[in-house]
Amino acid sequence: MKWPAFGYVRASTLDDVWRLQAEHGDGARILAGGQTLLATLAFRLSEPELLVDITRVAALGGISEAGGTLRIGALTRHAELGRDPLVARHAPLLAEAVPFIAHPAIRNRGTIGGSLAYADPAAELPACVVALGATIVLASAAGERRVPAASFFTGLLETALRPGELIAAVEVPIATPAHRSAIVEVARRSGDYAMAGLAACVTLDGPRVAAARLAYFGVGNGPVLAQGAMAALQGRALGAESIAAAQAALARDLDPPSDLHGPPEMKRHLARVLTARALSRFLPATEIAA
Amino acid sequence: MNEITPASIGLSREDLPNSYIGRSVPRPNLPKLVQGRAAYTDDVTLPRMVQAAFLRSPHAHARILAIDTSAALQVPGVLRVFTGADLAKVCDPWVATLDHLKGMKSAPQYPLPLDRATWQGEPVVAVVADSRAAAEDGVAALAVEWEPLPAQLDMETALDPGAVVIHPELGDNLVFTRTAEKGDVAAAMAAAHKVVEATFLTGRHTGVTLEARSIIADWNRADETLTVHHSTQAPHMMQGVFAKQLRMEEGAVRVICKDVGGSFGIKVHVYPDEVAVAAMSRILGRPVKFVADRFESFVSDIHARDHRITGRIAVDAEGRILAFDIDDRTGIGPYSVYPRTSAIEGNQVVNLCGGPYDFANYRCTTTVVLQNKTPTCQYRAVGHPIATAVTEGLVDLAAEALGLDPIEIRRRNLIRDDAYPYTSPPGMRFEGLSHHAALDKLLAMVPVERIRADQAEQRKRGVYRGLGFASFIELTNPSPFMYGIGGARISAQDGATVRMDPDGSVVVMSGVTEQGQGTEGILRQIVAHGVGVPLERVKVITGDTQTTPYGGGTWACRGAGIGGEAALQSAIALKQQILVVAGAMLQAAPETLDIRMGQVVERETGRERMPLGELGRIVYFRGDTLPKDLPRELVQTRHFITKEYPFAFTNGIQACWAEVDTDTGMVKVLEHWCVEDCGRVINPLLVDEQIRGGIVQGLGGALYEHCVYDEQGNLLTTTMADYLVPMSAEMPEMHVGHVETPTQESLLGAKGAGEAGTAGAPAALMNAINDALRPLGARVTEQPFTPARILRALGTI
Amino acid sequence: MSARVEITLTVNGERVTRGVEPRRHLVDFLRLDLGLTGSHAGCEHGVCGACTVRVDGDIVRGCLVLAASLDGADVTTIEGLTDSGEAEDLQAAFVARNAAQCGFCTPGMVMAAADILRHHPEATRDEIREHLSGNYCRCTGYQAIVDAVEQTLVARRGDAR
């Protein structure tokens, strides 16, 4: 459908944004890449009064590293994320995730801030930031606050964003040599939302798992950090047995909905399959299961 | 005409100087398409044109209690609001039945309903505004009071005592039923060595033409004419429909279809919203445009292939097929669709099951019932994918039960290549098919041994790959036996006018149309060949009822065989006429002359005597120099209709090599092959690409595409994110080969090719998946073959 | 509130100034305001790719970009791409290989393919398929399109050596 009528204004600074929000309250919606917002407007499910275009607010852009933290500005386009050398070096999980996101034309516009703010349960980036133990930096007229990614996604399409807040940046602890990460998903076609997916970060101490963060997507209301599966791996040698233990523990971690693709049991099953596929990537070549 | 034989007019594959038949020449319309200079209906703007949008029923079944238009009329840009009562004043309802489908019934359908909506998505109120956005704003401001009614959503219960009878005046929900019987099925089953049974589902899906349905209707009050720019397959048919429904003379209606962005059958039907647009223009006296957006396309384009088929096959100990016994149930919408009717798909299942095979005993029943879901009708290949899936699925099951190789069982049962003419058990008459030659050709293309070796090797590693086959027949070049005899004003004949202009260039006007398959390309080739001019000197005009001869448009693969034949015959007639004039000018007998590459030449020696431009100059500007009694109309029209066979059946066979990830249920199509016999191939490149496109469209319905409803009759798959179509990353490389068995019904000998890919692909894929899963004891028969269905078959979930 | 926004941008090398309704997306702006009907709307929710155009050097979904946000932008459509001759060999390959049938997806497909020529000149056949995986074609089954792109890349690589 054609979009309902709304106003449009471009913000040059964050102060512009706060002023416009004060003026229009709920009626003002933030427009970044627009790849999700504008698609939803086509369904005429919401009728914003005013779109505030933040794409030229310099404070929200840029990728930099300082003091062991990689700071990714909220306006970073997916395409930029996928080719940035700092991301490739310090948060390879994100670089690996980008090719799964939709298609090139979408990736040229969509932003990480938008993806996290919209929080589609089958999207890759929300799960990645949870797996990375990242911190979401939120800005408002009142200043900045930080929320751990694992606490940011609060329900179906819901986040910890308060009215008047926007995502300013994502802060990711940089990867160490002991760090391994992988993102795997099952999607019907290239670029589709995942039927089930897993963003996995593991820190190995020799053969043993020193720390594991398994963030599943497409299997719940948002990214699911599978505490049971992670605990099943903790301190154990990574191999067929510990992987099987993690798979078994998933039964308590996941409570998937049914959707057009299939019943909850299917997502549970796919999550188990993905667990093995992701974790097997961290095994030395001789040990990879058939 | 009777003296002309294919050989005498140079119809062979030899490289004659101007024999374009059989050559892969590029299409003349491609440059504009790749440069973005085409003219689709939405690209057309007319003075004072307004836009329409529709309020569509949110309910599967509901009484319309009240429509409050007052707020809508206040919306900026909105000009007018129309209800069913408004349009009924100028537009009559229609009923989609065919007399030869005995007992068929359907209720009258109005462009906008008068008091009741019977499917979710039915257009109920129309808003006209100065922009589409404003029209939608108007729709959003309408207030409609509904009384939701119980809906009939299950085809299996539609005839049960407790069913919701959608049109009480019809008595029940039965639209049509028919049983074809031959021989003694019961006896054959009793005497059989093995009987295998299976139930198949083909999932309801739809065409998803990238250019959505589009129409501009322009009623000119001053000269009382209606001009319609319409993305349609059959402009003359639509001319007749608009004239009839709006109570006009056909001569007062002109339908123009220039570039069409895909049709596949979706755009050959009569849609209530499109007729509503014409009625609105009639009332307003100005152009009204409507372009469906994607959401309304999903809910209002015709759906297709909503079938449950139970089938049994009986075989003897040698693997010879003794009988097929098939029961087909299909749920359409609340109305049969006009004018082709929604019973044809089920009727084709009855006519086509078992098609490629030689067997004696047959029984097949179709039961077509109404539902409160989007109306269904003919979509590429119509009943063929269903009949082929059932037939080939059962044949594979029989092979498995007997321990026979799937190729071997087909060898033993395909109709022999020398058995023609042949009439199948359901009564289909085949002039000449080539099942065995096609199989031979396929086996020369498919590296079966290598694939089987790879299959065995991969199985040891837990990787499951399968090879599946599907033989099929495909009806093309339909005669009036398909629709005409049922009373439908659907033309099985077609016409072409070929004319030479003063400078020797040639123009052909044809009643068949272009939607991307290459109609204009092959007409150009045929006419260039028939007259004897270089390809570049021929211009093709299609898609305008004011200038083209009355024709049927494009459907059931008739463009080449029927439209092409008319073009060839009129081109030959024009050549003969030119040679009569040339003979007079050159003092030579016309039979001693020929036209080659735009020159009049001596037939024996090839010596050039005169360029056509010179002849044209004399005829048009110096007629005083020609004999007074010389006929000099350098324009000829011929119409062609098939006379001997109701259809020109074609045949083919496909193979699909697929891998099933048994952990995830995901299917990867590795490679696909198709050998097709469509008679004379006019342009191999175009035919091959039609087959490839058809295969992918068939794979779409078999793997991905499904119109899914919830228990309230809400369509859940209304976006391109939910309704999955095949995209480039998942589709295989496809190899196409040909056998050519021309039809004797025409000089050209061409049959049709457009739907063959779609007819066989789902069956070949199904058999490949089941071949892959056989060692695991799993089988799938319900399309689409989604991961969930495969995991269920494996017992994983 | 929904007051028109004045934008000045370059479209196919021509400077254009218009006042647009904020809710007008780029494809409608091109088609309705500028008469550039080569770009098509196939779904208006970013999935089918028929609306693919180039903005500031990147391919984007024209249906998911506000015209109002394009002040100062540089837009290239299929018409501009054609006139510049940048992908003449690609377009010729489409014609020769019959990589278009109804043509409705073709402008978007050519824009996406031209992006491969520009940014991924070493693309393999599988990579070509992947890059085009966001452009829906119902007619061709994709193989001819992939052939045309591959042919063009190979020819260019050959010329470069």
Side-chain angles (χ1 to χ4, degrees):
Chain A
M1 295 185 226
K2 300 298 177 189
W3 299 327
F6 49 76
Y8 170 87
V9 66
R10 185 185 284 291
S12 305
T13 64
L14 283 175
D15 283 340
D16 285 343
V17 179
W18 312 144
R19 181 181 42 80
L20 288 160
Q21 282 182 332
E23 223 177 287
H24 298 276
D26 281 348
R29 295 276 289 277
I30 302 295
L31 173 68
Q35 303 304 278
T36 303
L37 173 65
L38 299 179
T40 61
L41 288 184
F43 306 134
R44 287 207 177 210
L45 290 175
S46 64
E47 313 230 337
E49 215 179 282
L50 179 73
L51 296 192
V52 178
D53 186 335
I54 59 169
T55 54
R56 292 197 191 152
V57 176
L60 301 175
I63 299 176
S64 58
E65 187 270 316
T69 299
L70 179 70
R71 183 189 187 282
I72 301 169
L75 288 178
T76 304
R77 311 272 188 184
H78 302 318
E80 291 170 320
L81 196 69
R83 55 177 182 249
D84 186 87
L86 289 175
V87 173
R89 184 158 9 117
H90 298 306
L93 180 64
L94 293 174
E96 193 189 342
V98 167
F100 284 114
I101 305 173
H103 303 287
I106 302 275
R107 297 199 287 264
N108 283 335
R109 300 289 292 191
T111 64
I112 186 166
S115 176
L116 300 182
Y118 191 70
D120 190 292
E124 290 83 5
L125 293 182
C128 286
V129 297
V130 170
L132 288 167
T135 303
I136 316 297
V137 181
L138 306 175
S140 69
E144 263 189 8
R145 71 182 178 108
R146 284 168 166 68
V147 176
S151 315
F152 183 72
F153 304 98
T154 55
L156 183 61
L157 304 180
E158 280 172 24
T159 68
L161 278 167
R162 294 179 188 142
E165 268 186 333
L166 49 73
I167 297 176
V170 181
E171 290 173 344
V172 183
I174 64 174
T176 67
H179 190 106
R180 300 280 180 278
S181 64
I183 177 166
V184 290
E185 68 175 52
V186 185
R188 292 301 312 274
R189 306 167 307 177
S190 172
D192 281 352
Y193 280 119
M195 294 195 290
L198 167 60
C201 290
V202 162
T203 309
L204 292 174
D205 176 13
R208 294 184 327 113
V209 175
R213 292 179 70 83
L214 306 179
Y216 294 83
F217 52 101
V219 297
N221 284 339
V224 180
L225 196 56
Q227 306 285 2
M230 287 151 56
L233 293 170
Q234 185 68 38
R236 289 177 72 163
L238 189 63
E241 268 186 49
S242 57
I243 292 174
Q247 288 175 313
L250 273 182
R252 290 180 305 280
D253 291 326
L254 301 181
D255 182 21
S258 66
D259 63 13
L260 280 175
H261 296 297
E265 332 54 291
M266 184 167 107
K267 288 185 184 287
R268 274 189 228 276
H269 167 75
L270 293 177
R272 285 193 292 271
V273 170
L274 291 172
T275 304
R277 290 187 181 180
L279 294 177
S280 298
R281 301 239 303 253
F282 309 145
L283 297 172
T286 51
E287 273 182 61
I288 291 175
Chain B
M1 238 259 343
N2 295 331
E3 262 60 81
I4 301 170
T5 64
S8 78
I9 56 167
L11 257 186
S12 72
R13 282 301 204 81
E14 293 164 23
D15 196 17
L16 296 176
N18 55 351
S19 172
Y20 291 106
I21 308 294
R23 298 262 206 89
S24 292
V25 290
R27 292 166 53 204
N29 8 15
L30 278 189
K32 73 176 172 185
L33 301 182
V34 303
Q35 294 180 26
R37 295 237 147 75
Y40 301 96
T41 298
D42 191 35
D43 298 337
V44 175
T45 310
L46 299 176
R48 302 190 69 231
M49 189 174 77
V50 293
Q51 307 264 353
F54 292 91
L55 181 144
R56 293 180 181 273
S57 172
H59 303 289
H61 196 190
R63 200 154 284 130
I64 305 160
L65 297 179
I67 300 171
D68 183 354
T69 63
S70 51
L73 288 165
Q74 300 305 311
V75 169
V78 170
L79 296 162
R80 192 88 175 247
V81 177
F82 291 95
T83 65
D86 297 325
L87 299 187
K89 295 191 183 123
V90 301
C91 182
D92 292 328
W94 54 87
V95 179
T97 54
L98 287 168
D99 300 333
H100 67 300
L101 299 182
K102 298 271 176 284
M104 184 175 184
K105 56 189 198 282
S106 184
Q109 184 176 14
Y110 287 82
L112 297 179
L114 300 181
D115 46 37
R116 193 165 55 104
T118 51
W119 88 87
Q120 187 196 53
E122 182 174 7
V124 175
V125 187
V127 175
V128 170
D130 58 15
S131 71
R132 170 74 189 212
E136 290 190 22
D137 294 343
V139 168
L142 288 169
V144 180
E145 214 184 307
W146 306 95
E147 180 196 330
L149 299 169
Q152 183 58 41
L153 302 166
D154 180 357
M155 69 166 101
E156 304 290 356
T157 62
L159 302 179
D160 290 356
V164 174
V165 177
I166 297 173
H167 298 284
E169 71 275 19
L170 296 180
D172 57 29
N173 292 323
L174 179 66
V175 172
F176 174 67
T177 183
R178 176 181 158 231
T179 298
E181 269 185 278
K182 192 93 205 295
D184 188 340
V185 164
M189 293 286 167
H193 175 65
K194 292 256 189 243
V195 174
V196 189
E197 177 168 340
T199 298
F200 302 85
L201 285 188
T202 54
R204 175 179 270 252
H205 56 284
T206 185
V208 199
T209 58
L210 189 56
E211 179 209 26
R213 295 185 296 106
S214 312
I215 185 169
I216 307 170
D218 182 12
W219 169 253
N220 183 323
R221 274 207 188 104
D223 56 21
E224 299 195 321
T225 59
L226 177 71
T227 304
V228 185
H229 298 256
H230 197 188
S231 183
T232 179
Q233 296 171 221
H236 283 103
M237 184 194 83
M238 291 312 301
Q239 174 192 33
V241 168
F242 291 126
K244 181 157 182 288
Q245 303 314 124
L246 294 172
R247 309 164 195 155
M248 300 172 187
E249 298 271 316
E250 285 178 357
V253 180
R254 176 184 181 189
V255 178
I256 301 168
C257 61
K258 289 299 163 200
D259 294 305
V260 174
S263 55
F264 319 110
I266 303 300
K267 295 174 179 173
V268 80
H269 306 294
V270 172
Y271 287 90
D273 47 27
E274 293 177 5
V275 178
V277 167
M280 290 190 277
S281 180
R282 178 74 178 79
I283 294 171
L284 291 173
R286 59 199 285 192
V288 179
K289 176 188 270 192
F290 168 65
V291 177
D293 71 22
R294 188 52 57 192
F295 313 133
E296 31 184 3
S297 292
F298 278 119
V299 85
S300 66
D301 285 358
I302 57 103
H303 293 182
R305 316 217 219 285
D306 197 357
H307 288 246
R308 180 272 301 146
I309 316 98
T310 306
R312 292 191 302 157
I313 184 174
V315 288
D316 67 16
E318 281 72 53
R320 301 260 324 148
I321 297 169
L322 301 175
F324 281 98
D325 184 14
I326 296 174
D327 182 67
D328 171 71
R329 168 72 59 118
T330 177
I332 60 172
Y335 299 99
S336 167
V337 175
Y338 188 70
R340 284 173 162 69
T341 86
S342 308
I344 291 288
E345 195 177 78
N347 198 48
Q348 281 199 350
V349 174
V350 172
N351 286 337
L352 302 171
C353 280
Y357 300 109
D358 185 16
F359 60 96
N361 306 291
Y362 184 70
R363 180 171 58 205
C364 184
T365 299
T366 186
T367 307
V368 181
V369 300
L370 298 174
Q371 297 184 108
N372 292 111
K373 292 181 177 174
T374 301
T376 69
C377 213
Q378 276 69 299
Y379 166 50
R380 195 175 198 174
V382 198
H384 294 75
I386 305 164
T388 305
V390 171
T391 302
E392 292 301 276
L394 290 173
V395 167
D396 258 26
L397 286 175
E400 185 184 316
L402 293 166
L404 259 185
D405 178 85
I407 294 169
E408 184 54 33
I409 193 172
R410 287 168 172 86
R411 271 283 182 230
R412 294 184 190 181
N413 287 285
L414 289 170
I415 301 167
R416 283 172 39 176
D417 289 353
D418 61 0
Y420 301 93
Y422 180 99
T423 301
S424 73
M428 299 295 100
R429 290 175 51 221
F430 306 142
E431 180 193 359
L433 302 179
S434 60
H435 288 295
H436 286 272
L439 175 54
D440 289 339
K441 179 103 200 199
L442 185 79
L443 293 176
M445 291 167 64
V446 182
V448 179
E449 271 184 43
R450 178 163 64 72
I451 287 174
R452 291 291 183 208
D454 175 76
Q455 180 181 41
E457 198 45 48
Q458 297 290 339
R459 269 185 195 157
K460 294 182 200 148
R461 302 173 37 229
V463 175
Y464 293 90
R465 295 182 173 174
L467 183 61
F469 297 94
S471 275
F472 61 94
I473 55 171
E474 171 74 39
L475 67 79
T476 74
N477 295 355
S479 73
F481 274 84
M482 189 160 190
Y483 294 116
I485 61 169
R489 293 174 72 88
I490 292 171
S491 193
Q493 60 82 50
D494 225 282
T497 299
V498 182
R499 138 185 128 227
M500 192 192 98
D501 283 345
D503 69 352
S505 56
V506 175
V507 179
V508 49
M509 288 157 285
S510 166
V512 293
T513 51
E514 172 77 73
Q515 295 94 41
Q517 66 279 70
T519 306
E520 295 190 4
I522 62 165
L523 289 175
R524 192 174 69 144
Q525 288 171 253
I526 290 167
V527 168
H529 171 92
V531 178
V533 297
L535 205 58
E536 303 73 50
R537 301 228 72 196
V538 179
K539 282 281 171 297
V540 180
I541 295 176
T542 64
D544 186 342
T545 60
Q546 189 165 88
T547 54
T548 61
Y550 197 93
T554 307
W555 49 279
C557 308
R558 64 191 296 276
I562 299 181
E565 180 68 12
L568 180 64
Q569 291 187 11
S570 46
I572 292 169
L574 177 64
K575 175 194 267 198
Q576 291 173 329
Q577 175 58 45
I578 291 171
L579 292 180
V580 164
V581 175
M585 291 172 65
L586 297 170
Q587 313 281 297
E591 315 81 72
T592 66
L593 301 172
D594 195 3
I595 305 176
R596 291 178 200 162
M597 295 309 261
Q599 291 277 341
V600 177
V601 306
E602 279 168 16
R603 184 178 283 273
E604 282 279 326
T605 65
R607 179 165 83 99
E608 291 181 0
R609 299 296 309 276
M610 173 172 54
L612 284 182
E614 177 59 16
L615 186 145
R617 184 181 74 81
I618 299 297
V619 167
Y620 286 111
F621 309 120
R622 292 307 312 274
D624 56 299
T625 63
L626 295 171
K628 291 205 171 83
D629 59 351
L630 183 72
R632 56 191 79 182
E633 289 75 24
L634 301 188
V635 56
Q636 295 288 328
T637 297
R638 290 292 180 273
H639 284 251
F640 176 71
I641 189 170
T642 56
K643 298 187 179 90
E644 296 302 324
Y645 285 87
F647 306 103
F649 270 94
T650 64
N651 64 277
I653 183 164
Q654 298 192 22
C656 182
W657 178 218
E659 179 174 309
V660 183
D661 182 335
T662 50
D663 286 333
T664 61
M666 294 275 289
V667 173
K668 179 151 179 59
V669 184
L670 300 171
E671 216 168 337
H672 201 98
W673 298 260
C674 178
V675 172
E676 165 69 0
D677 183 349
C678 56
R680 175 102 49 208
V681 174
I682 298 162
N683 185 321
L685 175 62
L686 300 189
V687 170
D688 284 4
E689 293 312 317
Q690 274 294 284
I691 291 173
R692 290 195 173 100
I695 288 169
V696 167
Q697 200 158 22
L699 292 178
L703 262 185
Y704 296 114
E705 302 183 42
H706 201 181
C707 298
V708 179
Y709 283 86
D710 70 12
E711 308 79 56
Q712 281 76 49
N714 298 310
L715 183 64
L716 300 177
T717 49
T718 55
T719 76
M720 295 203 62
D722 300 314
Y723 185 97
L724 307 179
V725 290
M727 307 296 277
S728 61
E730 288 75 35
M731 286 299 104
E733 304 290 314
M734 295 164 279
H735 311 279
V736 182
H738 290 283
V739 175
E740 284 191 26
T741 307
T743 170
Q744 304 305 311
E745 283 238 52
S746 64
L747 297 176
L748 200 48
K751 304 177 192 174
E755 295 169 87
T758 308
L765 175 68
M766 179 177 69
N767 287 345
I769 293 172
N770 288 331
D771 186 53
L773 298 181
R774 194 162 292 119
L776 301 170
R779 168 179 311 141
V780 286
T781 54
E782 300 180 1
Q783 297 176 46
F785 304 120
T786 58
R789 283 185 160 141
I790 287 174
L791 290 176
R792 259 193 216 105
L794 288 165
T796 306
I797 61 171
Chain C
M1 187 44 58
S2 35
R4 294 195 158 238
V5 175
E6 177 142 312
I7 52 172
T8 297
L9 65 161
T10 306
V11 179
N12 297 333
E14 287 176 18
R15 202 163 179 70
V16 157
T17 298
R18 292 286 191 281
V20 295
E21 257 196 298
R23 66 167 159 175
R24 174 139 287 175
H25 56 55
L26 175 56
V27 170
D28 275 354
F29 175 70
L30 294 167
R31 294 176 56 78
L32 300 174
D33 290 279
L34 304 183
L36 289 164
T37 56
S39 308
H40 301 140
C43 74
E44 290 184 294
H45 48 283
V47 181
C48 76
C51 64
T52 305
V53 292
R54 192 187 286 165
V55 174
D56 296 332
D58 288 333
I59 50 167
V60 301
R61 302 293 207 217
C63 71
L64 295 184
V65 174
L66 295 182
S69 73
L70 292 180
D71 187 52
D74 183 14
V75 176
T76 306
T77 70
I78 184 68
E79 293 93 338
L81 184 82
T82 302
D83 290 346
S84 76
E86 173 194 321
E88 206 178 324
D89 51 348
L90 175 71
Q91 288 168 301
F94 263 62
V95 172
R97 186 60 194 82
N98 206 64
Q101 290 184 24
C102 82
F104 203 77
C105 78
T106 305
M109 193 70 76
V110 168
M111 297 301 299
D115 195 64
I116 299 175
L117 299 183
R118 257 192 175 193
H119 298 301
H120 306 278
E122 301 295 320
T124 63
R125 203 172 166 83
D126 278 348
E127 285 167 343
I128 294 169
R129 280 189 178 271
E130 182 58 37
H131 280 295
L132 297 179
S133 64
N135 285 75
Y136 173 48
C137 173
R138 191 47 140 176
C139 299
T140 66
Y142 305 105
Q143 188 167 332
I145 295 172
V146 178
D147 284 350
V149 178
E150 187 183 42
Q151 258 168 247
T152 308
L153 287 177
V154 166
R156 284 190 179 194
R157 293 200 284 259
D159 287 346
R161 264 152 219 157

